[in-house]
Amino acid sequence: MRHFLVFSLMAFFFTAILLLGCSSSEKSENSESSGSADAASMQLIILGGPGAGKGTQARAIVDTFKIGHISTGKILRQEVADSTELGMLVAGIMARGELVADSIILTLVENRLKAPDCKDGFILDGFPRTIPQATGLEGILERRGDTSIRVLYLEVSDEEMTRRLMSRGRADDTEETIKNRIGIFHQQTDPLVEYYDKKGTLIRINGEQSIEAVAADIEAVLSGK
Ligand code: AMP
């Protein structure tokens, strides 16, 4: 009788261990599949020069797909306006048009991605600006459990960007400052375009069309049409 009891206990534990093993391997399979390029996953980056329509298109995407909109420039400007510790740290850097340190930006983005509006996806606008930010983002996504990302690049020629910025007629938009901004944009963005192009995650969108036509192209790409 005692032998029988010991035997059934052993059989019970053996079966339990087997079952646990199966369910954990199932789990790891699931997390692997969500880590691959999942068509339903709305984890996006939008790249584009000044006047390329990045902000307008990002807002349209957010409305359509109900995902979080993360503009690092906007978050930082708010920090400055609120005179937070971070705001005071970055105010001078921003006023000079320099880049805020990668480590600060990465912490900011990782925290922002924890907000409920990013549960079903997000669009990053103004980030990443450097290759260390791009690789840092990969770490953040790994920690979140879904590494898929698609990069929308709104392509607009320098001539068209200049034309659009000049026609806005803002006081700070002289031909000289515009040329400068477009130069900085290329310096910062060209390496990222190359980086994501090599990874096969770059999607080029013709940004020289009307706002509606650009939005339609983006929606078609994102909904897999
Ligand atoms: P934006 O509105 O995207 O042009 O950002 C305004 C300013 O915020 C920039 O000129 C930078 O000083 C700072 N900033 C915004 N995003 C980043 C980023 N990803 N990396 C470093 N600095 C940034």
Short mmCIF file of all heavy atoms in Angstrom, two decimals, residues 131-174:
data_model
loop_
_atom_site.label_atom_id
_atom_site.label_comp_id
_atom_site.label_asym_id
_atom_site.label_seq_id
_atom_site.Cartn_x
_atom_site.Cartn_y
_atom_site.Cartn_z
N ILE A 131 21.98 56.87 -34.09
CA ILE A 131 22.05 55.40 -34.12
C ILE A 131 22.01 54.81 -32.69
O ILE A 131 21.29 53.85 -32.46
CB ILE A 131 23.31 54.91 -34.89
CG1 ILE A 131 23.26 55.40 -36.35
CG2 ILE A 131 23.46 53.39 -34.83
CD1 ILE A 131 22.17 54.81 -37.22
N PRO A 132 22.73 55.39 -31.70
CA PRO A 132 22.57 54.86 -30.33
C PRO A 132 21.11 54.91 -29.83
O PRO A 132 20.68 54.02 -29.09
CB PRO A 132 23.48 55.76 -29.49
CG PRO A 132 24.51 56.26 -30.44
CD PRO A 132 23.80 56.39 -31.77
N GLN A 133 20.36 55.91 -30.26
CA GLN A 133 18.94 55.94 -29.88
C GLN A 133 18.19 54.79 -30.57
O GLN A 133 17.32 54.16 -29.97
CB GLN A 133 18.30 57.28 -30.26
CG GLN A 133 18.72 58.43 -29.36
CD GLN A 133 18.01 59.74 -29.68
OE1 GLN A 133 17.03 59.80 -30.42
NE2 GLN A 133 18.53 60.82 -29.12
N ALA A 134 18.56 54.51 -31.82
CA ALA A 134 17.89 53.42 -32.56
C ALA A 134 18.20 52.06 -31.90
O ALA A 134 17.29 51.24 -31.72
CB ALA A 134 18.34 53.41 -34.01
N THR A 135 19.45 51.85 -31.50
CA THR A 135 19.78 50.57 -30.87
C THR A 135 19.19 50.51 -29.46
O THR A 135 18.74 49.46 -29.00
CB THR A 135 21.31 50.32 -30.85
OG1 THR A 135 21.95 51.46 -30.28
CG2 THR A 135 21.86 50.11 -32.23
N GLY A 136 19.17 51.66 -28.78
CA GLY A 136 18.55 51.73 -27.46
C GLY A 136 17.06 51.39 -27.53
O GLY A 136 16.53 50.69 -26.67
N LEU A 137 16.42 51.84 -28.60
CA LEU A 137 15.00 51.54 -28.79
C LEU A 137 14.79 50.04 -28.91
O LEU A 137 13.82 49.48 -28.40
CB LEU A 137 14.47 52.25 -30.05
CG LEU A 137 13.05 51.89 -30.49
CD1 LEU A 137 12.03 52.31 -29.45
CD2 LEU A 137 12.72 52.54 -31.84
N GLU A 138 15.73 49.36 -29.58
CA GLU A 138 15.60 47.90 -29.71
C GLU A 138 15.59 47.22 -28.34
O GLU A 138 14.83 46.28 -28.12
CB GLU A 138 16.73 47.36 -30.60
CG GLU A 138 16.38 47.53 -32.08
CD GLU A 138 17.58 47.73 -32.99
OE1 GLU A 138 18.65 47.19 -32.70
OE2 GLU A 138 17.42 48.45 -34.01
N GLY A 139 16.42 47.72 -27.43
CA GLY A 139 16.44 47.19 -26.07
C GLY A 139 15.11 47.42 -25.37
O GLY A 139 14.57 46.53 -24.70
N ILE A 140 14.56 48.63 -25.55
CA ILE A 140 13.27 48.97 -24.93
C ILE A 140 12.19 48.02 -25.45
O ILE A 140 11.39 47.48 -24.68
CB ILE A 140 12.88 50.44 -25.25
CG1 ILE A 140 13.86 51.42 -24.58
CG2 ILE A 140 11.45 50.73 -24.85
CD1 ILE A 140 13.64 52.89 -24.95
N LEU A 141 12.19 47.79 -26.76
CA LEU A 141 11.16 46.93 -27.36
C LEU A 141 11.31 45.49 -26.90
O LEU A 141 10.31 44.80 -26.67
CB LEU A 141 11.21 47.02 -28.90
CG LEU A 141 10.88 48.39 -29.49
CD1 LEU A 141 10.88 48.34 -31.01
CD2 LEU A 141 9.53 48.92 -29.00
N GLU A 142 12.55 45.05 -26.73
CA GLU A 142 12.78 43.69 -26.22
C GLU A 142 12.17 43.56 -24.83
O GLU A 142 11.49 42.59 -24.52
CB GLU A 142 14.28 43.41 -26.14
CG GLU A 142 14.75 42.42 -27.17
CD GLU A 142 16.24 42.50 -27.40
OE1 GLU A 142 16.99 42.46 -26.40
OE2 GLU A 142 16.65 42.62 -28.56
N ARG A 143 12.39 44.58 -23.99
CA ARG A 143 11.85 44.53 -22.63
C ARG A 143 10.33 44.55 -22.65
O ARG A 143 9.68 44.02 -21.76
CB ARG A 143 12.42 45.68 -21.78
CG ARG A 143 13.89 45.48 -21.43
CD ARG A 143 14.38 46.47 -20.41
NE ARG A 143 14.63 47.81 -20.95
CZ ARG A 143 15.70 48.17 -21.65
NH1 ARG A 143 16.63 47.28 -21.90
NH2 ARG A 143 15.83 49.40 -22.10
N ARG A 144 9.74 45.19 -23.66
CA ARG A 144 8.28 45.22 -23.78
C ARG A 144 7.71 43.93 -24.36
O ARG A 144 6.51 43.71 -24.33
CB ARG A 144 7.84 46.37 -24.70
CG ARG A 144 7.80 47.72 -24.06
CD ARG A 144 7.57 48.77 -25.12
NE ARG A 144 6.33 48.61 -25.86
CZ ARG A 144 5.18 49.16 -25.53
NH1 ARG A 144 5.11 49.91 -24.45
NH2 ARG A 144 4.10 48.98 -26.27
N GLY A 145 8.58 43.12 -24.99
CA GLY A 145 8.15 41.83 -25.51
C GLY A 145 7.69 41.82 -26.95
O GLY A 145 7.14 40.83 -27.43
N ASP A 146 7.85 42.93 -27.68
CA ASP A 146 7.51 42.94 -29.11
C ASP A 146 8.52 43.83 -29.84
O ASP A 146 8.50 45.05 -29.69
CB ASP A 146 6.08 43.49 -29.30
CG ASP A 146 5.66 43.50 -30.78
OD1 ASP A 146 6.50 43.18 -31.65
OD2 ASP A 146 4.48 43.82 -31.05
N THR A 147 9.41 43.19 -30.59
CA THR A 147 10.51 43.95 -31.21
C THR A 147 10.18 44.44 -32.62
O THR A 147 11.02 45.03 -33.27
CB THR A 147 11.79 43.09 -31.29
OG1 THR A 147 11.48 41.88 -31.97
CG2 THR A 147 12.34 42.79 -29.90
N SER A 148 8.94 44.17 -33.09
CA SER A 148 8.63 44.59 -34.46
C SER A 148 8.52 46.11 -34.55
O SER A 148 7.99 46.76 -33.65
CB SER A 148 7.33 43.94 -34.93
OG SER A 148 6.26 44.47 -34.20
N ILE A 149 9.03 46.66 -35.64
CA ILE A 149 8.94 48.11 -35.85
C ILE A 149 8.91 48.39 -37.34
O ILE A 149 9.57 47.71 -38.11
CB ILE A 149 10.12 48.84 -35.14
CG1 ILE A 149 9.88 50.35 -35.05
CG2 ILE A 149 11.45 48.59 -35.80
CD1 ILE A 149 9.39 50.80 -33.72
N ARG A 150 8.08 49.34 -37.75
CA ARG A 150 8.08 49.76 -39.15
C ARG A 150 8.38 51.25 -39.21
O ARG A 150 7.89 52.02 -38.38
CB ARG A 150 6.72 49.46 -39.79
CG ARG A 150 6.59 47.98 -40.15
CD ARG A 150 5.26 47.66 -40.74
NE ARG A 150 4.19 47.72 -39.75
CZ ARG A 150 2.92 47.52 -40.02
NH1 ARG A 150 2.53 47.24 -41.25
NH2 ARG A 150 2.00 47.59 -39.07
N VAL A 151 9.19 51.62 -40.18
CA VAL A 151 9.66 53.00 -40.27
C VAL A 151 9.09 53.65 -41.53
O VAL A 151 9.40 53.23 -42.65
CB VAL A 151 11.20 53.04 -40.30
CG1 VAL A 151 11.70 54.48 -40.27
CG2 VAL A 151 11.79 52.24 -39.14
N LEU A 152 8.25 54.65 -41.32
CA LEU A 152 7.67 55.38 -42.46
C LEU A 152 8.56 56.57 -42.76
O LEU A 152 8.78 57.42 -41.90
CB LEU A 152 6.27 55.88 -42.10
CG LEU A 152 5.24 54.82 -41.71
CD1 LEU A 152 4.01 55.48 -41.11
CD2 LEU A 152 4.86 53.98 -42.93
N TYR A 153 9.07 56.63 -43.97
CA TYR A 153 9.94 57.75 -44.35
C TYR A 153 9.23 58.61 -45.40
O TYR A 153 9.02 58.18 -46.52
CB TYR A 153 11.27 57.20 -44.88
CG TYR A 153 12.24 58.27 -45.33
CD1 TYR A 153 12.31 59.50 -44.69
CD2 TYR A 153 13.10 58.04 -46.40
CE1 TYR A 153 13.21 60.48 -45.10
CE2 TYR A 153 14.01 59.01 -46.81
CZ TYR A 153 14.05 60.23 -46.16
OH TYR A 153 14.92 61.21 -46.58
N LEU A 154 8.85 59.82 -44.99
CA LEU A 154 8.18 60.72 -45.91
C LEU A 154 9.23 61.42 -46.77
O LEU A 154 9.92 62.33 -46.30
CB LEU A 154 7.38 61.79 -45.15
CG LEU A 154 6.26 61.31 -44.23
CD1 LEU A 154 5.51 62.50 -43.64
CD2 LEU A 154 5.29 60.43 -45.02
N GLU A 155 9.33 60.99 -48.01
CA GLU A 155 10.37 61.54 -48.89
C GLU A 155 9.89 62.81 -49.59
O GLU A 155 8.88 62.79 -50.31
CB GLU A 155 10.75 60.51 -49.94
CG GLU A 155 11.70 59.47 -49.41
CD GLU A 155 12.26 58.61 -50.52
OE1 GLU A 155 11.45 57.98 -51.23
OE2 GLU A 155 13.49 58.57 -50.67
N VAL A 156 10.61 63.89 -49.34
CA VAL A 156 10.33 65.17 -49.98
C VAL A 156 11.68 65.78 -50.36
O VAL A 156 12.62 65.76 -49.56
CB VAL A 156 9.57 66.13 -49.01
CG1 VAL A 156 9.37 67.50 -49.62
CG2 VAL A 156 8.23 65.53 -48.60
N SER A 157 11.80 66.28 -51.59
CA SER A 157 13.08 66.83 -52.03
C SER A 157 13.42 68.10 -51.24
O SER A 157 12.52 68.76 -50.70
CB SER A 157 13.03 67.15 -53.52
OG SER A 157 12.14 68.24 -53.72
N ASP A 158 14.70 68.43 -51.19
CA ASP A 158 15.13 69.65 -50.48
C ASP A 158 14.44 70.88 -51.08
O ASP A 158 14.04 71.79 -50.35
CB ASP A 158 16.66 69.83 -50.60
CG ASP A 158 17.40 68.79 -49.77
OD1 ASP A 158 16.73 67.92 -49.18
OD2 ASP A 158 18.64 68.87 -49.72
N GLU A 159 14.30 70.89 -52.40
CA GLU A 159 13.67 72.05 -53.07
C GLU A 159 12.23 72.21 -52.60
O GLU A 159 11.79 73.31 -52.29
CB GLU A 159 13.67 71.87 -54.61
CG GLU A 159 15.06 71.87 -55.27
CD GLU A 159 15.87 70.60 -54.96
OE1 GLU A 159 15.25 69.52 -54.77
OE2 GLU A 159 17.11 70.70 -54.87
N GLU A 160 11.50 71.09 -52.53
CA GLU A 160 10.09 71.17 -52.11
C GLU A 160 9.98 71.55 -50.63
O GLU A 160 9.13 72.34 -50.24
CB GLU A 160 9.40 69.82 -52.40
CG GLU A 160 7.93 69.74 -51.96
CD GLU A 160 7.01 70.74 -52.64
OE1 GLU A 160 7.38 71.34 -53.66
OE2 GLU A 160 5.90 70.94 -52.10
N MET A 161 10.89 71.02 -49.79
CA MET A 161 10.87 71.39 -48.36
C MET A 161 11.10 72.89 -48.23
O MET A 161 10.41 73.57 -47.46
CB MET A 161 11.98 70.64 -47.59
CG MET A 161 11.59 69.25 -47.18
SD MET A 161 12.75 68.54 -45.99
CE MET A 161 13.93 67.75 -47.02
N THR A 162 12.08 73.42 -48.98
CA THR A 162 12.39 74.85 -48.93
C THR A 162 11.17 75.66 -49.35
O THR A 162 10.77 76.62 -48.69
CB THR A 162 13.57 75.18 -49.87
OG1 THR A 162 14.62 74.26 -49.59
CG2 THR A 162 14.06 76.60 -49.68
N ARG A 163 10.54 75.24 -50.46
CA ARG A 163 9.36 75.94 -50.97
C ARG A 163 8.26 75.98 -49.89
O ARG A 163 7.68 77.02 -49.61
CB ARG A 163 8.85 75.22 -52.22
CG ARG A 163 8.46 76.17 -53.32
CD ARG A 163 7.93 75.54 -54.59
NE ARG A 163 8.08 74.12 -54.78
CZ ARG A 163 9.04 73.56 -55.54
NH1 ARG A 163 9.95 74.30 -56.12
NH2 ARG A 163 9.09 72.25 -55.69
N ARG A 164 8.01 74.83 -49.27
CA ARG A 164 6.93 74.76 -48.26
C ARG A 164 7.25 75.64 -47.05
O ARG A 164 6.38 76.35 -46.55
CB ARG A 164 6.74 73.31 -47.80
CG ARG A 164 6.11 72.43 -48.85
CD ARG A 164 5.89 71.04 -48.31
NE ARG A 164 5.40 70.13 -49.34
CZ ARG A 164 5.13 68.85 -49.14
NH1 ARG A 164 5.30 68.32 -47.94
NH2 ARG A 164 4.68 68.09 -50.10
N LEU A 165 8.49 75.59 -46.58
CA LEU A 165 8.86 76.38 -45.40
C LEU A 165 8.81 77.87 -45.70
O LEU A 165 8.36 78.66 -44.87
CB LEU A 165 10.24 75.97 -44.89
CG LEU A 165 10.34 74.54 -44.34
CD1 LEU A 165 11.78 74.19 -43.97
CD2 LEU A 165 9.45 74.36 -43.12
N MET A 166 9.27 78.25 -46.89
CA MET A 166 9.26 79.67 -47.27
C MET A 166 7.82 80.18 -47.34
O MET A 166 7.53 81.29 -46.91
CB MET A 166 9.93 79.89 -48.64
CG MET A 166 11.43 79.76 -48.66
SD MET A 166 12.30 80.95 -47.62
CE MET A 166 12.18 82.43 -48.60
N SER A 167 6.91 79.35 -47.86
CA SER A 167 5.54 79.81 -48.05
C SER A 167 4.79 79.94 -46.72
O SER A 167 3.75 80.59 -46.65
CB SER A 167 4.79 78.90 -49.01
OG SER A 167 4.55 77.68 -48.37
N ARG A 168 5.34 79.33 -45.64
CA ARG A 168 4.71 79.52 -44.32
C ARG A 168 4.95 80.92 -43.81
O ARG A 168 4.19 81.43 -42.98
CB ARG A 168 5.30 78.54 -43.29
CG ARG A 168 4.88 77.11 -43.50
CD ARG A 168 5.07 76.26 -42.28
NE ARG A 168 6.36 76.48 -41.61
CZ ARG A 168 6.97 75.55 -40.88
NH1 ARG A 168 6.43 74.37 -40.76
NH2 ARG A 168 8.11 75.80 -40.28
N GLY A 169 6.05 81.52 -44.27
CA GLY A 169 6.35 82.92 -43.97
C GLY A 169 6.57 83.22 -42.51
O GLY A 169 6.28 84.32 -42.03
N ARG A 170 7.06 82.25 -41.71
CA ARG A 170 7.34 82.53 -40.31
C ARG A 170 8.59 83.38 -40.19
O ARG A 170 9.50 83.28 -41.01
CB ARG A 170 7.56 81.20 -39.55
CG ARG A 170 6.31 80.78 -38.83
CD ARG A 170 6.36 79.43 -38.22
NE ARG A 170 7.67 78.92 -37.86
CZ ARG A 170 7.84 77.69 -37.38
NH1 ARG A 170 6.81 76.89 -37.22
NH2 ARG A 170 9.04 77.26 -37.05
N ALA A 171 8.65 84.20 -39.15
CA ALA A 171 9.75 85.15 -39.00
C ALA A 171 11.11 84.45 -38.99
O ALA A 171 12.08 84.97 -39.55
CB ALA A 171 9.56 85.95 -37.72
N ASP A 172 11.16 83.24 -38.38
CA ASP A 172 12.45 82.55 -38.29
C ASP A 172 12.75 81.71 -39.54
O ASP A 172 13.77 81.05 -39.62
CB ASP A 172 12.51 81.68 -37.03
CG ASP A 172 11.39 80.65 -36.97
OD1 ASP A 172 10.38 80.84 -37.68
OD2 ASP A 172 11.52 79.68 -36.23
N ASP A 173 11.85 81.74 -40.52
CA ASP A 173 12.05 80.96 -41.73
C ASP A 173 12.68 81.79 -42.85
O ASP A 173 12.05 82.06 -43.86
CB ASP A 173 10.71 80.37 -42.21
CG ASP A 173 10.27 79.18 -41.38
OD1 ASP A 173 11.11 78.63 -40.64
OD2 ASP A 173 9.10 78.81 -41.47
N THR A 174 13.92 82.19 -42.69
CA THR A 174 14.62 82.87 -43.79
C THR A 174 15.28 81.78 -44.62
O THR A 174 15.41 80.64 -44.17
CB THR A 174 15.70 83.83 -43.26
OG1 THR A 174 16.70 83.03 -42.61
CG2 THR A 174 15.12 84.83 -42.28
#
